[in-house]
Amino acid sequence: MAYNDLRMDNQWLPFTPNRSFAKDPRIFVAADGMHFTTHDGRQVIDGISSLWCVGAGHNRKPINEAIKKQLDTLDYSTAFSVSNDKAFRAAEMIAAMAPGDLNKVLFCNSGSEAADTSMKVALAYHRARGEGHRNMFIGRERGYHGVGFGGMSVGGIPANRKVYGTSLLPRVDHLRFIHDPVNHAYIHNTQPVWNEDLLLELENRILPLHDASNIAAVIVEPVAGSAGWYVPPQGYLKRLREICDKHGILLIFDEVITGFGRLGTPFASDYYGVQPDMLNFAKAVTNGVFPLGGVVCTDRIYDAMMGAHGSAPEHAIEFFHGYTYSGHPVACAAAIATLDLFHEEKLFERAGEMGPVLGDAMHAALMGLPNVIGIRSLGLAAAVELAPIAGLPGKRAFDVFMDCYHRGVLVRNAGENLVFAPPFIVEKAQIETMVGTLADAIKRAA
Ligand SMILES: Cc1ncc(COP(=O)(O)O)c(C=O)c1O
């Protein structure tokens, strides 16, 4: 199919330079396993699991079949005051996989909705316990929690925030970013050990400034994904947990990227041995084939919300929140089939095994290339950071992304970074092709 056959006038593309796209469109018409087919019949390796979604690879029959079967059985039913069998089963499976007493799943449809949902739960929970004054949130610089006003406000990616001014939530502060470009530019499947305690700032400045008793929750991505795969210092998340506990603050892990196997464990929470009070998920839970997100809450949060209504009549709703498609039966059927497939094919273990293969390849092929100023790998994801072109932020990485695309490899450009996060089924030879193509493109962009 020539793209000239497609009308290009009607779609406004998300997070895409639309004007440049129109001159050189990149359109997929099919996908299977590790590869896309483009509109002009070329094969492109999906080096990013289609933005961290497609852990099991594309076109997986058990998931497709489950969706088709569900469509013929119960296509949809409203989620309010009634529910469906698949939503209960999916919630049970996710709760069983989630650490500790994270047992109550509130479904939504995306990571952005999960961010806003978790923030609303935090406010409602504190109010239910008589601490309605806890209405402030702490996010982190360069954090990404989607594009809703809540997630955007606690997020810390300047370009995503800059035009929204006072429409951002007012009661938000941000932790410092977790990257040290001097001492920890190169990270290879390790946890960087910092000489400095990054969280002293939280204890000594942020909490006293706002008074800890006013903080509802801290929300962080365990590993900063969208910013470009930045790894937390050793002990950071554990210490964050301790500080939150000390001050009665809820800790929310946004595991939209790290959830479901990316680090070789079900969640980053397992990898780091730190349990949050709420865990946000989306993306890989359905292998990306159907929109589904959610927040897993502790029993304690759920019980407090129910308990607060002990004196209310039983027909009273305890939490005024939800989406038309919360727990959509087709999405939940896709999730059940995906989680079964992850288990049957031991795909999280495979991600854990292939991670060092990717990390080795990235460090061996890219270290010392022109403009390379950092390489970070952890789990089955790795990023290379390039020196920016003065006055043209992101341009070098964008050019490299385009070059790779035209040579058959989809890599993600994020700021000055290029990130790989392939499906867990990736083979060593495919990693070599991906990384080799990236290395050549970086040389050409010099
Ligand atoms: C950590 C994190 N949270 C939230 C989101 C937003 O998810 P969605 O695009 O599904 O709204 C993303 C998307 O990449 C993400 O990486």
Side-chain angles (χ1 to χ4, degrees), residues 51-52 110-113 144-147 221 226 254 256-257 282-283:
L51 266 194
W52 316 87
S110 66
S112 299
E113 289 176 356
Y144 184 65
H145 305 289
V147 293
E221 302 162 86
S226 295
D254 186 336
V256 164
I257 278 180
K283 295 193 186 262

Side-chain angles (χ1 to χ4, degrees), residues 128-339:
R129 296 164 46 253
E131 291 200 23
H133 51 83
R134 286 191 183 267
N135 54 20
M136 196 174 165
F137 291 96
I138 312 284
R140 192 168 62 201
E141 291 170 352
R142 298 182 71 179
Y144 184 65
H145 305 289
V147 293
F149 276 98
M152 198 168 55
S153 302
V154 289
I157 295 187
N160 293 353
R161 298 164 49 91
K162 79 172 178 194
V163 303
Y164 301 107
T166 52
S167 300
L168 295 173
L169 299 186
R171 305 262 299 144
V172 172
D173 208 338
H174 290 79
L175 302 169
R176 262 176 69 191
F177 193 47
I178 48 174
H179 186 49
D180 173 353
V182 176
N183 298 307
H184 299 296
Y186 295 88
I187 294 169
H188 190 4
N189 279 303
T190 52
Q191 300 186 37
V193 181
W194 284 46
N195 294 329
E196 173 194 2
D197 178 1
L198 247 189
L199 288 168
L200 265 187
E201 184 214 17
L202 175 62
E203 283 221 290
N204 292 352
R205 187 184 70 78
I206 297 178
L207 296 185
L209 174 66
H210 304 289
D211 201 293
S213 68
N214 290 318
I215 315 287
V218 172
I219 177 167
V220 292
E221 302 162 86
V223 182
S226 295
W229 206 236
Y230 291 94
V231 175
Q234 194 176 57
Y236 176 93
L237 294 171
K238 191 162 172 289
R239 183 146 150 65
L240 186 57
R241 174 76 274 178
E242 285 163 6
I243 296 171
C244 287
D245 283 346
K246 185 169 153 195
H247 297 285
I249 299 168
L250 294 175
L251 179 60
I252 305 169
F253 279 178
D254 186 336
E255 294 233 28
V256 164
I257 278 180
T258 49
F260 303 104
R262 184 55 60 187
L263 300 185
T265 51
F267 297 99
S269 175
D270 302 299
Y271 184 87
Y272 287 104
V274 179
Q275 191 202 304
D277 300 293
M278 281 183 261
L279 186 156
N280 298 358
F281 66 89
K283 295 193 186 262
V285 66
T286 61
N287 207 36
V289 300
F290 213 93
L292 182 70
V295 179
V296 198
C297 305
T298 57
D299 290 328
R300 183 166 59 100
I301 290 177
Y302 178 83
D303 291 345
M305 292 286 291
M306 299 301 124
H309 298 273
S311 58
E314 279 207 359
H315 74 275
I317 291 169
E318 297 93 358
F319 183 38
F320 281 85
H321 178 77
Y323 301 90
T324 297
Y325 299 126
S326 297
H328 192 297
V330 183
C332 289
I336 294 165
T338 299
L339 299 184

